[in-house]
Amino acid sequence: MPFVVTDSCIQCKYTDCVSVCPMDCFVEGPNFLAIDPDGCIDCSMCVPECPVGAIYNATDLPAALSHFEDLNARLAKLPGWKPITKAQPPLPDHAQWKDVTDKLPLLKMPEP
Ligand code: SF4
Ligand code: F3S
């Protein structure tokens, strides 16, 4: 089962995860990253890199986060969600958002 980025990433986007992925399967939106399930080889290397614990194996997703599996797969194929392979600074307000839950309504889509 592929790995999945979940709620904690939204509005934070620390990006430490991307630098260890051997398959370059992260894609980037304005305030969230997603994993392309077609690229993920389930190595789990990204999991400990995320400072807010946003990444899960799909089989271990808590029920409250189960919708993120389909969301990652969908976003990874949408135009505007671009591959990201190098870490970059987190979003400016990451400290304010890192412990906030249920941030999905804040998810932003790339400009067309
Ligand atoms: Fe990349 Fe491995 Fe994480 Fe999948 S589990 S996204 S292949 S680092
Ligand atoms: Fe998001 Fe964590 Fe990666 S916050 S960008 S999943 S390091």
Side-chain angles (χ1 to χ4, degrees), residues 15-24 26 43-47 49 85:
T15 75
D16 306 69
C17 52
V18 306
S19 49
V20 299
C21 179
M23 302 302 289
D24 295 345
F26 284 88
C43 71
S44 81
M45 287 172 63
C46 52
V47 174
E49 297 301 315
T85 57

Side-chain angles (χ1 to χ4, degrees), residues 31-72:
N31 65 349
F32 185 60
L33 258 55
I35 292 171
D36 183 345
D38 293 339
C40 181
I41 57 169
D42 307 346
C43 71
S44 81
M45 287 172 63
C46 52
V47 174
E49 297 301 315
C50 178
V52 288
I55 306 175
Y56 291 80
N57 185 309
T59 56
D60 300 329
L61 270 176
L65 297 174
S66 61
H67 50 298
F68 277 89
E69 182 177 1
D70 282 349
L71 181 68
N72 275 237

